[in-house]
Amino acid sequence: MITNRQVVLKRPPAGMPKAADFEIAPCPMPPAPPPGGLLVRVIALSMDPYLGGRLRGRHMGEPAPAPGAKLPGFAVAEILESDAPDFAPGEFVVTETGWTRYAAIPAAGARKVTPGPAPLSAHLGVLGMPGLTAWAGVTQLAKVGPDDIFVVDAAAGAVGGTAGQIAKNLGARAIGIAGGNAKLALVTNTYGFDACIDYRAEGWQAKLKAACAPGPTVHFENVGETVLQTVFPMLQTYGRVVLCGLAEHYHADGNPPVLPVGPIVGKRAAIYGLVVYDFYDRLAEWHAIALPWLASGQLKFHEDASDGLESAPAQFERMLRGQHLGKAIVRVAPDKP
Ligand SMILES: NC(=O)c1ccc[n+]([C@@H]2O[C@H](COP(=O)([O-])OP(=O)(O)OC[C@H]3O[C@@H](n4cnc5c(N)ncnc54)[C@H](OP(=O)(O)O)[C@@H]3O)[C@@H](O)[C@H]2O)c1
């Protein structure tokens, strides 16, 4: 007999969500798809920084889930049964299933994916929302080209690692900032950045200045105050800054960083706020570039996977603490039953 399970919120998180805020609960196996919808088997869950804020009612105005509610979140899943004309059993989709093994979901919002030069789970990372975020920031906002010196932090992550590789493939010099030796090795050896600086090491500011001399023309910001206040003064005149994420502030006390207005004027800098939702209907444009790059080896990605739905709370806490390497996912079931 097939058994279903889900991860539910045990208590409202106080500060950064922790594994102990969640519990695994049995739940009924959905007997059939909803009218016009899909019955799916979850293959992999996406662990994303925004979910930490969403659980605390701090993401794009969405209310926090109540204790006892299934954790929200996106997954790649196989269709078992379909009541929707455009979807068939055996096809794969990326959709919001929440943290569960089996889900009965509406077809609206489900996006079909196929295995290709990368595994299905890559549609949660380099070929999914984080990859699209990187593409949008690099090519649509900052419009990076061969003359650019591109600096990105959280450079080992799904967004930062992809952003630097896109910049590099467009001819720019790509410099990463990341925390710890394992991340540095991934960024330089696997992703092929020109350099990566460990911002936890003594004297990192001087090393960064030397690596991006005569100064970055583009800064893609994922972390917050620690990096931004160091990189912004190095920015060249007419430099561009893409504000994508503020990971160090999501669960910290105190206020997010403030950029001084005077130096923005002095540098004639352009500051772009990035919200990936604005680019969701352009995913095919990113895929048209990314799929050949993946096939030729010009684009690399790294997954940090834990196994089994039961591992999701601990994997989520690791991801929120920044202890993962690359794109954090939970493998709930094999691609093939
Ligand atoms: N604007 C948008 O539409 C959009 C869309 C997707 C993602 N984002 C944002 O883009 C950023 C990168 O996303 P991602 O999925 O690729 O995540 P990620 O880079 O894999 O994870 C966040 C990274 O931030 C760094 N970090 C620094 N201080 C931290 C702290 N106090 N707590 C936790 N992490 C800290 C860590 O890397 P180091 O150890 O290397 O510092 C950590 O690995 C995130 O801020 C995310 O919220 C924005």
Side-chain angles (χ1 to χ4, degrees), residues 40-268:
V40 299
R41 178 180 74 90
V42 172
I43 293 169
L45 290 173
S46 186
M47 303 280 108
D48 293 291
Y50 82 89
L51 268 177
R54 185 163 168 192
L55 295 183
R56 300 172 67 202
R58 292 178 171 197
H59 181 72
M60 307 293 283
E62 289 165 306
K70 178 173 69 169
L71 266 283
F74 280 79
V76 61
E78 182 187 8
I79 300 172
L80 298 179
E81 291 179 41
S82 172
D83 190 45
D86 296 336
F87 296 87
E91 291 181 326
F92 300 101
V93 287
V94 168
T95 186
E96 177 133 29
T97 60
W99 294 16
T100 185
R101 286 187 184 158
Y102 297 92
I105 51 161
R111 176 170 62 81
K112 272 194 224 184
V113 296
T114 48
L120 285 168
S121 52
H123 290 276
L124 303 175
V126 66
L127 292 174
M129 182 275 284
L132 181 68
T133 304
W135 171 81
V138 174
T139 69
Q140 304 303 301
L141 299 183
K143 300 189 193 318
V144 170
D147 296 331
D148 279 312
I149 301 172
F150 180 86
V151 171
V152 60
D153 53 3
V159 174
T162 308
Q165 291 181 80
I166 297 170
K168 185 98 186 111
N169 287 342
L170 294 173
R173 191 186 339 157
I175 294 109
I177 301 170
N181 286 338
K183 291 187 180 183
L184 260 56
L186 178 66
V187 172
T188 51
N189 300 346
T190 304
Y191 297 161
F193 282 39
D194 296 283
C196 190
I197 310 299
D198 185 350
Y199 72 109
R200 294 195 205 138
E202 193 83 11
W204 70 276
Q205 296 92 339
K207 286 185 187 156
L208 178 67
K209 196 168 185 176
C212 64
T217 57
V218 177
H219 174 52
F220 192 117
E221 179 55 54
N222 284 320
V223 170
E225 179 129 32
T226 308
V227 176
L228 191 57
Q229 304 294 23
T230 298
V231 177
F232 190 77
M234 298 179 190
L235 197 71
Q236 291 192 34
T237 307
Y238 291 107
R240 293 96 81 203
V241 177
V242 177
L243 294 177
C244 174
L246 298 172
E248 99 184 343
H249 302 278
Y250 292 156
H251 304 292
D253 296 330
N255 295 319
V258 177
L259 265 181
V261 175
I264 296 174
V265 176
K267 286 180 182 292
R268 293 79 158 166

Side-chain angles (χ1 to χ4, degrees), residues 271-293:
I271 314 285
Y272 299 97
L274 166 56
V275 175
V276 68
Y277 299 158
D278 298 347
F279 298 90
Y280 266 13
D281 60 352
R282 300 182 62 187
L283 188 64
E285 286 179 62
W286 166 228
H287 281 189
I289 300 166
L291 289 169
W293 279 353

